[in-house]
Amino acid sequence: MNQILSDISGFLWGWPMIILLLGTHIYLTVRLRFPQRKIFTAIKLSFKRDEGAKGDVSQFGALATALAATIGTGNIVGVATAVALGGPGAVLWCWLTGVFGISTKYAEGLLAIKYRVKRPDGSMLGGPMYALERGLGWKWMAILFALFTAIAAFGIGNTVQANAIATLTNETYGISPYLTGSVVCLLAGAVIIGGVKSIARVCTMLVPFMAVFYVVGCIVILVMNSHYVWPAIQLIGKAAFSPEAAGGGFIGTSVMMAARFGIARGLFSNESGLGSAPIVAAAAQTRNPVRQALVSASGTFWDTVVICALTGIVIVSSILAFPDIDYSNGAVLTKMAFSKIPYIGAPLLTVGILTFAFSTILGWSYYGERAAEYLGAKHTVYRVLFIIALFIGSVVSLDIVWNIADCMNALMAIPNLLSLLFLSGVIVSETKKYLWSGRLDEHDEDHVHEKQSTT
């Protein structure tokens, strides 16, 4: 069964999916007149609070929650794996995927606000399932998206993260997985039970800390490898289009391999097009859809354009600095790079992985809960099941769960990308109304509707 699921996952995440995702990124980039140009405006908006705007959490709270789910082990081990399989050129392809993915994340955030609904208690619901249902009338596809999301949350956002935490603490410090699992359940449960406001509050504190902590570690390594940083950047650029430029152990890679693994890791890392981040973007307090769209887009900038790029340069410069190391395994390669920092290298990597994994649990708990609620499930029941699954994930081997999660993630992306493509006219219209016309500060009340039955 595991082999069958692995084959299905390999097919779903093969070239057709990569072409669909990257094609959507490029199409939206061109049609939206390169919204990447507004990235500094987006960053500025993310730190502002829209006083008086409707929503459950601040724009930064929504962004922090999305980043919590997005910034994970894929930013650390995933990039190293891409280099191991596709050569140093994979780093450039990963980076370019993030640059173009900014447009898709912008579009997702816009539709999330445009088609969100308000519950009787005043809280907001939104995401691709509402865009599919209310924007296109595709209720059956909205149900499929919600189903895939609810299942995927138990995999990539729950059990596999808990397992990564338990395995790391056991191998590094000899702590029993049962003890680790219990602690993870208690900590996560204390946050999750409080709902989106509690999750956003914790993520607002955790995400800046873990990102700065990791970035500082990368900068220290780059300073230590200072003589190899520029050669590493040159090699990344050359190897992306000429594999022979890599030389040494990288001989045997190809432009296609570098592109495939770089693009795949970039897409998997920033989740642009997956449809997960818009679920929490819909809860943001924002004046109009475009403001939150810009804030959402800044998440891909931080995740891939900054953090993944730093990781890639660290990995390639470390290979150049220590050519005798084994770079055939992504996890080993990452551990080796950080071990070069005397005394604190290994603990820094450990803390980075632990915080990244735990934050992913928090973010995905909200995604899964909202998807399950769309299907008619009680949020309290879902939270309890989610917390129980965390303990199971800590003590059980989960190879098959990884493959199930990969399949569900791919199946999430398909209906979401279709909604982006078929509603691209709406996205352009809203962008023209607020961004191109210089009316970002205007309020729009038309994007909030009372919740109707969706079960």
Side-chain angles (χ1 to χ4, degrees), residues 252-313:
T253 62
S254 65
V255 172
M256 293 295 285
M257 288 176 66
R260 176 184 175 185
F261 290 110
I263 292 171
R265 284 297 94 193
L267 295 172
F268 194 78
S269 171
N270 60 53
E271 296 183 9
S272 293
L274 194 62
S276 52
I279 297 175
V280 71
Q285 297 166 344
T286 186
R287 301 182 196 182
N288 57 65
V290 171
R291 286 175 74 93
Q292 182 55 36
L294 287 169
V295 173
S296 295
S298 69
T300 298
F301 171 80
W302 293 120
D303 175 86
T304 307
V305 179
V306 175
I307 294 180
C308 283
L310 272 175
T311 303
I313 298 172

CSV table of all heavy atoms in Angstrom, one decimal, residues 252-313:
chain,number,residue,atom,x,y,z
A,252,GLY,N,26.3,14.5,-13.9
A,252,GLY,CA,25.2,13.5,-14.0
A,252,GLY,C,23.9,14.2,-13.8
A,252,GLY,O,22.8,13.6,-14.2
A,253,THR,N,23.8,15.4,-13.2
A,253,THR,CA,22.6,16.1,-13.2
A,253,THR,C,22.3,16.8,-14.5
A,253,THR,O,23.2,16.8,-15.4
A,253,THR,CB,22.7,17.2,-12.1
A,253,THR,OG1,23.7,18.2,-12.4
A,253,THR,CG2,23.0,16.6,-10.7
A,254,SER,N,21.1,17.3,-14.7
A,254,SER,CA,20.8,17.9,-15.9
A,254,SER,C,20.0,19.2,-15.6
A,254,SER,O,19.5,19.4,-14.5
A,254,SER,CB,20.0,17.0,-16.8
A,254,SER,OG,18.7,16.7,-16.2
A,255,VAL,N,19.7,20.0,-16.7
A,255,VAL,CA,18.9,21.2,-16.5
A,255,VAL,C,17.5,20.8,-16.1
A,255,VAL,O,16.9,21.4,-15.2
A,255,VAL,CB,18.9,22.0,-17.8
A,255,VAL,CG1,17.8,23.1,-17.6
A,255,VAL,CG2,20.2,22.6,-18.1
A,256,MET,N,17.0,19.7,-16.6
A,256,MET,CA,15.7,19.2,-16.3
A,256,MET,C,15.6,18.7,-14.9
A,256,MET,O,14.6,19.0,-14.2
A,256,MET,CB,15.3,18.0,-17.2
A,256,MET,CG,15.1,18.4,-18.7
A,256,MET,SD,13.7,19.6,-18.9
A,256,MET,CE,12.4,18.5,-18.8
A,257,MET,N,16.6,18.1,-14.4
A,257,MET,CA,16.6,17.6,-13.0
A,257,MET,C,16.7,18.8,-12.0
A,257,MET,O,16.0,18.8,-11.0
A,257,MET,CB,17.8,16.7,-12.8
A,257,MET,CG,17.6,15.3,-13.4
A,257,MET,SD,19.1,14.2,-13.2
A,257,MET,CE,19.1,14.0,-11.4
A,258,ALA,N,17.6,19.7,-12.4
A,258,ALA,CA,17.7,20.9,-11.5
A,258,ALA,C,16.4,21.7,-11.5
A,258,ALA,O,15.9,22.1,-10.4
A,258,ALA,CB,18.8,21.8,-12.1
A,259,ALA,N,15.7,21.8,-12.6
A,259,ALA,CA,14.5,22.6,-12.7
A,259,ALA,C,13.4,21.8,-11.9
A,259,ALA,O,12.6,22.4,-11.1
A,259,ALA,CB,14.1,22.8,-14.1
A,260,ARG,N,13.3,20.5,-12.2
A,260,ARG,CA,12.3,19.7,-11.5
A,260,ARG,C,12.3,19.7,-10.0
A,260,ARG,O,11.3,20.0,-9.3
A,260,ARG,CB,12.3,18.2,-12.0
A,260,ARG,CG,11.3,17.3,-11.3
A,260,ARG,CD,11.4,15.9,-11.7
A,260,ARG,NE,10.5,15.1,-10.9
A,260,ARG,CZ,10.4,13.8,-11.0
A,260,ARG,NH1,11.2,13.1,-11.8
A,260,ARG,NH2,9.6,13.1,-10.2
A,261,PHE,N,13.5,19.4,-9.5
A,261,PHE,CA,13.6,19.4,-8.0
A,261,PHE,C,13.6,20.8,-7.4
A,261,PHE,O,13.0,20.9,-6.3
A,261,PHE,CB,14.9,18.6,-7.6
A,261,PHE,CG,14.8,17.2,-7.9
A,261,PHE,CD1,15.6,16.6,-8.9
A,261,PHE,CD2,14.0,16.3,-7.2
A,261,PHE,CE1,15.5,15.2,-9.2
A,261,PHE,CE2,13.9,15.0,-7.5
A,261,PHE,CZ,14.6,14.4,-8.5
A,262,GLY,N,14.2,21.7,-8.1
A,262,GLY,CA,14.1,23.1,-7.5
A,262,GLY,C,12.7,23.7,-7.5
A,262,GLY,O,12.2,24.2,-6.5
A,263,ILE,N,12.0,23.5,-8.6
A,263,ILE,CA,10.6,24.0,-8.7
A,263,ILE,C,9.7,23.2,-7.7
A,263,ILE,O,8.9,23.8,-7.0
A,263,ILE,CB,10.1,23.8,-10.1
A,263,ILE,CG1,10.8,24.8,-11.1
A,263,ILE,CG2,8.6,24.1,-10.2
A,263,ILE,CD1,10.5,24.6,-12.6
A,264,ALA,N,9.8,21.9,-7.7
A,264,ALA,CA,9.0,21.1,-6.8
A,264,ALA,C,9.2,21.5,-5.3
A,264,ALA,O,8.3,21.7,-4.5
A,264,ALA,CB,9.3,19.6,-6.9
A,265,ARG,N,10.5,21.7,-4.9
A,265,ARG,CA,10.8,22.1,-3.5
A,265,ARG,C,10.3,23.5,-3.2
A,265,ARG,O,9.7,23.8,-2.1
A,265,ARG,CB,12.3,22.0,-3.3
A,265,ARG,CG,12.9,20.7,-3.1
A,265,ARG,CD,12.3,20.0,-1.9
A,265,ARG,NE,11.2,19.1,-2.2
A,265,ARG,CZ,10.4,18.6,-1.3
A,265,ARG,NH1,10.5,18.8,0.0
A,265,ARG,NH2,9.4,17.8,-1.7
A,266,GLY,N,10.4,24.4,-4.2
A,266,GLY,CA,9.9,25.8,-4.0
A,266,GLY,C,8.4,25.8,-3.9
A,266,GLY,O,7.9,26.5,-3.0
A,267,LEU,N,7.7,25.0,-4.7
A,267,LEU,CA,6.2,25.0,-4.6
A,267,LEU,C,5.8,24.4,-3.3
A,267,LEU,O,4.8,24.8,-2.7
A,267,LEU,CB,5.7,24.2,-5.8
A,267,LEU,CG,5.9,24.7,-7.2
A,267,LEU,CD1,5.5,23.7,-8.3
A,267,LEU,CD2,5.1,26.0,-7.4
A,268,PHE,N,6.5,23.3,-2.9
A,268,PHE,CA,6.1,22.6,-1.7
A,268,PHE,C,6.4,23.5,-0.5
A,268,PHE,O,5.6,23.5,0.5
A,268,PHE,CB,6.8,21.3,-1.6
A,268,PHE,CG,6.3,20.4,-0.5
A,268,PHE,CD1,5.2,19.6,-0.7
A,268,PHE,CD2,6.9,20.2,0.7
A,268,PHE,CE1,4.6,18.8,0.2
A,268,PHE,CE2,6.4,19.4,1.7
A,268,PHE,CZ,5.3,18.7,1.4
A,269,SER,N,7.4,24.3,-0.6
A,269,SER,CA,7.8,25.1,0.6
A,269,SER,C,6.9,26.3,0.8
A,269,SER,O,6.4,26.5,1.9
A,269,SER,CB,9.2,25.6,0.4
A,269,SER,OG,9.6,26.6,1.4
A,270,ASN,N,6.6,27.1,-0.3
A,270,ASN,CA,5.8,28.3,0.0
A,270,ASN,C,4.3,28.1,-0.1
A,270,ASN,O,3.5,29.0,0.2
A,270,ASN,CB,6.2,29.4,-1.0
A,270,ASN,CG,6.0,29.0,-2.5
A,270,ASN,OD1,5.0,28.6,-2.9
A,270,ASN,ND2,7.1,29.1,-3.3
A,271,GLU,N,3.8,26.9,-0.6
A,271,GLU,CA,2.4,26.5,-0.7
A,271,GLU,C,1.6,27.5,-1.5
A,271,GLU,O,0.4,27.5,-1.4
A,271,GLU,CB,1.8,26.4,0.7
A,271,GLU,CG,2.4,25.3,1.6
A,271,GLU,CD,1.8,25.2,3.0
A,271,GLU,OE1,0.7,25.8,3.2
A,271,GLU,OE2,2.3,24.4,3.8
A,272,SER,N,2.2,28.3,-2.4
A,272,SER,CA,1.5,29.1,-3.3
A,272,SER,C,0.7,28.3,-4.3
A,272,SER,O,1.4,27.5,-5.0
A,272,SER,CB,2.4,30.1,-4.0
A,272,SER,OG,3.0,31.0,-3.1
A,273,GLY,N,-0.6,28.4,-4.3
A,273,GLY,CA,-1.4,27.5,-5.2
A,273,GLY,C,-2.0,26.3,-4.5
A,273,GLY,O,-2.9,25.7,-5.1
A,274,LEU,N,-1.5,26.0,-3.3
A,274,LEU,CA,-2.1,24.9,-2.6
A,274,LEU,C,-3.5,25.2,-2.1
A,274,LEU,O,-4.3,24.3,-2.0
A,274,LEU,CB,-1.1,24.5,-1.4
A,274,LEU,CG,-1.3,23.2,-0.8
A,274,LEU,CD1,-1.1,22.0,-1.8
A,274,LEU,CD2,-0.4,23.0,0.4
A,275,GLY,N,-3.7,26.4,-1.7
A,275,GLY,CA,-5.0,26.8,-1.2
A,275,GLY,C,-5.2,26.8,0.3
A,275,GLY,O,-6.3,26.9,0.8
A,276,SER,N,-4.1,26.6,1.0
A,276,SER,CA,-4.1,26.5,2.5
A,276,SER,C,-4.2,27.9,3.1
A,276,SER,O,-5.0,28.2,3.9
A,276,SER,CB,-3.0,25.7,3.0
A,276,SER,OG,-1.7,26.2,2.5
A,277,ALA,N,-3.2,28.7,2.7
A,277,ALA,CA,-3.1,30.1,3.3
A,277,ALA,C,-4.3,30.9,3.2
A,277,ALA,O,-4.6,31.7,4.1
A,277,ALA,CB,-1.9,30.8,2.7
A,278,PRO,N,-5.1,30.9,2.1
A,278,PRO,CA,-6.3,31.7,2.0
A,278,PRO,C,-7.3,31.4,3.1
A,278,PRO,O,-8.1,32.3,3.4
A,278,PRO,CB,-6.9,31.4,0.7
A,278,PRO,CG,-5.8,30.8,-0.1
A,278,PRO,CD,-4.9,30.1,0.9
A,279,ILE,N,-7.3,30.3,3.7
A,279,ILE,CA,-8.3,29.9,4.8
A,279,ILE,C,-8.1,30.8,6.0
A,279,ILE,O,-9.1,31.3,6.6
A,279,ILE,CB,-8.1,28.4,5.2
A,279,ILE,CG1,-8.4,27.5,4.0
A,279,ILE,CG2,-9.0,28.1,6.3
A,279,ILE,CD1,-8.2,26.1,4.2
A,280,VAL,N,-6.9,31.1,6.3
A,280,VAL,CA,-6.6,32.0,7.5
A,280,VAL,C,-6.6,33.5,7.0
A,280,VAL,O,-7.0,34.4,7.8
A,280,VAL,CB,-5.3,31.7,8.2
A,280,VAL,CG1,-4.1,32.0,7.4
A,280,VAL,CG2,-5.3,32.4,9.6
A,281,ALA,N,-6.3,33.7,5.8
A,281,ALA,CA,-6.3,35.1,5.2
A,281,ALA,C,-7.7,35.7,5.3
A,281,ALA,O,-7.9,36.9,5.5
A,281,ALA,CB,-5.8,35.1,3.8
A,282,ALA,N,-8.7,34.8,5.2
A,282,ALA,CA,-10.1,35.2,5.2
A,282,ALA,C,-10.5,35.8,6.6
A,282,ALA,O,-11.5,36.5,6.7
A,282,ALA,CB,-11.1,34.1,4.9
A,283,ALA,N,-9.8,35.4,7.6
A,283,ALA,CA,-10.1,35.9,9.0
A,283,ALA,C,-9.5,37.3,9.3
A,283,ALA,O,-9.7,37.8,10.4
A,283,ALA,CB,-9.6,34.9,10.0
A,284,ALA,N,-8.7,37.8,8.4
A,284,ALA,CA,-8.0,39.1,8.7
A,284,ALA,C,-8.9,40.3,8.7
A,284,ALA,O,-9.9,40.4,8.0
A,284,ALA,CB,-6.9,39.3,7.6
A,285,GLN,N,-8.5,41.2,9.6
A,285,GLN,CA,-9.2,42.5,9.6
A,285,GLN,C,-8.6,43.4,8.5
A,285,GLN,O,-7.5,43.8,8.6
A,285,GLN,CB,-9.0,43.2,11.0
A,285,GLN,CG,-9.6,42.4,12.1
A,285,GLN,CD,-9.1,42.8,13.5
A,285,GLN,OE1,-8.1,43.5,13.6
A,285,GLN,NE2,-9.7,42.4,14.6
A,286,THR,N,-9.4,43.6,7.5
A,286,THR,CA,-8.8,44.4,6.3
A,286,THR,C,-9.9,45.2,5.7
A,286,THR,O,-11.1,44.9,5.7
A,286,THR,CB,-8.2,43.4,5.3
A,286,THR,OG1,-7.6,44.1,4.3
A,286,THR,CG2,-9.3,42.5,4.7
A,287,ARG,N,-9.5,46.4,5.1
A,287,ARG,CA,-10.5,47.3,4.5
A,287,ARG,C,-11.1,46.8,3.2
A,287,ARG,O,-12.2,47.1,2.9
A,287,ARG,CB,-9.8,48.6,4.3
A,287,ARG,CG,-9.3,49.3,5.6
A,287,ARG,CD,-8.7,50.6,5.2
A,287,ARG,NE,-7.8,51.1,6.3
A,287,ARG,CZ,-7.2,52.2,6.3
A,287,ARG,NH1,-7.3,53.1,5.3
A,287,ARG,NH2,-6.4,52.6,7.4
A,288,ASN,N,-10.2,46.1,2.5
A,288,ASN,CA,-10.7,45.6,1.2
A,288,ASN,C,-9.8,44.4,0.8
A,288,ASN,O,-8.8,44.1,1.4
A,288,ASN,CB,-10.6,46.7,0.1
A,288,ASN,CG,-9.2,47.3,0.0
A,288,ASN,OD1,-8.2,46.6,-0.4
A,288,ASN,ND2,-9.0,48.6,0.3
A,289,PRO,N,-10.3,43.6,-0.2
A,289,PRO,CA,-9.6,42.4,-0.6
A,289,PRO,C,-8.2,42.6,-1.0
A,289,PRO,O,-7.3,41.7,-0.7
A,289,PRO,CB,-10.5,41.8,-1.7
A,289,PRO,CG,-11.8,42.4,-1.5
A,289,PRO,CD,-11.6,43.8,-0.9
A,290,VAL,N,-7.8,43.7,-1.6
A,290,VAL,CA,-6.5,43.9,-2.2
A,290,VAL,C,-5.5,44.1,-1.1
A,290,VAL,O,-4.3,43.6,-1.2
A,290,VAL,CB,-6.5,45.0,-3.2
A,290,VAL,CG1,-5.1,45.4,-3.6
A,290,VAL,CG2,-7.3,44.6,-4.4
A,291,ARG,N,-5.8,44.7,0.0
A,291,ARG,CA,-4.9,45.0,1.1
A,291,ARG,C,-4.4,43.6,1.7
A,291,ARG,O,-3.2,43.4,1.9
A,291,ARG,CB,-5.5,45.9,2.2
A,291,ARG,CG,-5.6,47.3,1.8
A,291,ARG,CD,-6.3,48.1,2.8
A,291,ARG,NE,-5.5,48.3,4.0
A,291,ARG,CZ,-4.8,49.4,4.2
A,291,ARG,NH1,-4.7,50.3,3.3
A,291,ARG,NH2,-4.1,49.6,5.4
A,292,GLN,N,-5.4,42.7,1.9
A,292,GLN,CA,-5.0,41.4,2.5
A,292,GLN,C,-4.3,40.6,1.5
A,292,GLN,O,-3.4,39.8,1.8
A,292,GLN,CB,-6.2,40.7,3.0
A,292,GLN,CG,-5.9,39.4,3.7
A,292,GLN,CD,-4.8,39.5,4.8
A,292,GLN,OE1,-4.8,40.4,5.5
A,292,GLN,NE2,-4.0,38.5,4.9
A,293,ALA,N,-4.6,40.8,0.2
A,293,ALA,CA,-3.9,40.0,-0.9
A,293,ALA,C,-2.5,40.4,-0.9
A,293,ALA,O,-1.6,39.5,-1.0
A,293,ALA,CB,-4.6,40.4,-2.2
A,294,LEU,N,-2.1,41.6,-0.7
A,294,LEU,CA,-0.7,42.1,-0.7
A,294,LEU,C,0.0,41.5,0.5
A,294,LEU,O,1.1,41.0,0.4
A,294,LEU,CB,-0.7,43.6,-0.7
A,294,LEU,CG,-1.0,44.3,-2.0
A,294,LEU,CD1,-1.1,45.8,-1.8
A,294,LEU,CD2,0.1,44.0,-3.1
A,295,VAL,N,-0.7,41.5,1.7
A,295,VAL,CA,-0.1,41.0,2.9
A,295,VAL,C,0.2,39.5,2.7
A,295,VAL,O,1.2,39.0,3.1
A,295,VAL,CB,-1.0,41.3,4.1
A,295,VAL,CG1,-0.5,40.6,5.4
A,295,VAL,CG2,-1.1,42.8,4.4
A,296,SER,N,-0.8,38.8,2.2
A,296,SER,CA,-0.6,37.3,2.0
A,296,SER,C,0.6,37.1,1.0
A,296,SER,O,1.4,36.2,1.2
A,296,SER,CB,-1.9,36.7,1.4
A,296,SER,OG,-2.9,36.8,2.3
A,297,ALA,N,0.7,37.9,0.0
A,297,ALA,CA,1.8,37.7,-1.0
A,297,ALA,C,3.2,37.9,-0.3
A,297,ALA,O,4.1,37.2,-0.7
A,297,ALA,CB,1.6,38.7,-2.1
A,298,SER,N,3.3,38.7,0.7
A,298,SER,CA,4.5,38.9,1.4
A,298,SER,C,5.0,37.7,2.1
A,298,SER,O,6.2,37.5,2.3
A,298,SER,CB,4.5,40.1,2.4
A,298,SER,OG,3.6,39.8,3.5
A,299,GLY,N,4.1,36.7,2.4
A,299,GLY,CA,4.5,35.5,3.0
A,299,GLY,C,5.4,34.6,2.1
A,299,GLY,O,6.3,34.1,2.6
A,300,THR,N,5.1,34.6,0.8
A,300,THR,CA,5.9,33.8,-0.1
A,300,THR,C,7.3,34.5,-0.2
A,300,THR,O,8.3,33.8,-0.4
A,300,THR,CB,5.2,33.8,-1.5
A,300,THR,OG1,4.0,33.1,-1.3
A,300,THR,CG2,6.1,33.0,-2.5
A,301,PHE,N,7.3,35.8,-0.2
A,301,PHE,CA,8.6,36.5,-0.2
A,301,PHE,C,9.5,36.1,0.9
A,301,PHE,O,10.6,35.7,0.7
A,301,PHE,CB,8.3,38.0,-0.2
A,301,PHE,CG,9.6,38.8,0.0
A,301,PHE,CD1,10.4,39.1,-1.1
A,301,PHE,CD2,10.0,39.3,1.2
A,301,PHE,CE1,11.6,39.9,-1.0
A,301,PHE,CE2,11.1,40.1,1.3
A,301,PHE,CZ,11.9,40.3,0.2
A,302,TRP,N,9.0,36.1,2.1
A,302,TRP,CA,9.8,35.7,3.3
A,302,TRP,C,10.1,34.2,3.3
A,302,TRP,O,11.3,33.9,3.5
A,302,TRP,CB,9.0,36.0,4.6
A,302,TRP,CG,8.8,37.5,4.9
A,302,TRP,CD1,7.6,38.1,5.0
A,302,TRP,CD2,9.8,38.5,5.0
A,302,TRP,NE1,7.8,39.4,5.3
A,302,TRP,CE2,9.1,39.7,5.3
A,302,TRP,CE3,11.2,38.5,5.0
A,302,TRP,CZ2,9.8,40.9,5.5
A,302,TRP,CZ3,11.8,39.7,5.2
A,302,TRP,CH2,11.2,40.9,5.5
A,303,ASP,N,9.2,33.4,2.9
A,303,ASP,CA,9.4,32.0,2.9
A,303,ASP,C,10.4,31.5,1.9
A,303,ASP,O,11.4,30.7,2.3
A,303,ASP,CB,8.1,31.2,2.7
A,303,ASP,CG,8.2,29.7,2.6
A,303,ASP,OD1,8.2,29.1,3.7
A,303,ASP,OD2,8.4,29.2,1.5
A,304,THR,N,10.2,31.8,0.7
A,304,THR,CA,11.1,31.3,-0.4
A,304,THR,C,12.2,32.2,-0.8
A,304,THR,O,13.3,31.9,-1.0
A,304,THR,CB,10.2,30.9,-1.6
A,304,THR,OG1,9.2,30.0,-1.1
A,304,THR,CG2,11.0,30.1,-2.6
A,305,VAL,N,11.8,33.5,-1.1
A,305,VAL,CA,12.7,34.4,-1.7
A,305,VAL,C,13.8,34.8,-0.7
A,305,VAL,O,15.0,35.0,-1.1
A,305,VAL,CB,12.0,35.7,-2.1
A,305,VAL,CG1,13.0,36.7,-2.7
A,305,VAL,CG2,10.9,35.4,-3.2
A,306,VAL,N,13.5,34.7,0.6
A,306,VAL,CA,14.5,35.0,1.6
A,306,VAL,C,15.1,33.8,2.3
A,306,VAL,O,16.3,33.4,2.1
A,306,VAL,CB,13.9,36.0,2.7
A,306,VAL,CG1,15.0,36.2,3.8
A,306,VAL,CG2,13.6,37.3,2.1
A,307,ILE,N,14.2,33.0,3.0
A,307,ILE,CA,14.7,31.9,3.8
A,307,ILE,C,15.2,30.7,3.0
A,307,ILE,O,16.3,30.2,3.2
A,307,ILE,CB,13.6,31.4,4.8
A,307,ILE,CG1,13.3,32.5,5.8
A,307,ILE,CG2,14.0,30.1,5.5
A,307,ILE,CD1,12.2,32.2,6.8
A,308,CYS,N,14.5,30.3,1.9
A,308,CYS,CA,15.0,29.2,1.1
A,308,CYS,C,16.2,29.6,0.3
A,308,CYS,O,17.1,28.8,0.2
A,308,CYS,CB,13.9,28.8,0.1
A,308,CYS,SG,12.6,27.8,0.8
A,309,ALA,N,16.3,30.9,-0.1
A,309,ALA,CA,17.5,31.3,-0.8
A,309,ALA,C,18.7,31.3,0.1
A,309,ALA,O,19.8,30.9,-0.3
A,309,ALA,CB,17.3,32.7,-1.3
A,310,LEU,N,18.5,31.8,1.4
A,310,LEU,CA,19.6,31.7,2.3
A,310,LEU,C,20.1,30.3,2.6
A,310,LEU,O,21.3,30.0,2.6
A,310,LEU,CB,19.2,32.4,3.7
A,310,LEU,CG,19.4,33.9,3.8
A,310,LEU,CD1,18.8,34.3,5.1
A,310,LEU,CD2,20.8,34.3,3.7
A,311,THR,N,19.1,29.4,2.8
A,311,THR,CA,19.5,28.0,3.0
A,311,THR,C,20.2,27.4,1.8
A,311,THR,O,21.3,26.7,2.0
A,311,THR,CB,18.2,27.2,3.2
A,311,THR,OG1,17.4,27.7,4.3
A,311,THR,CG2,18.5,25.7,3.5
A,312,GLY,N,19.8,27.7,0.6
A,312,GLY,CA,20.5,27.2,-0.6
A,312,GLY,C,21.9,27.7,-0.7
A,312,GLY,O,22.8,26.9,-1.0
A,313,ILE,N,22.2,29.0,-0.4
A,313,ILE,CA,23.5,29.5,-0.5
A,313,ILE,C,24.4,28.9,0.6
A,313,ILE,O,25.6,28.6,0.4
A,313,ILE,CB,23.5,31.1,-0.4
A,313,ILE,CG1,22.7,31.7,-1.6
A,313,ILE,CG2,24.9,31.6,-0.4
A,313,ILE,CD1,22.5,33.1,-1.5
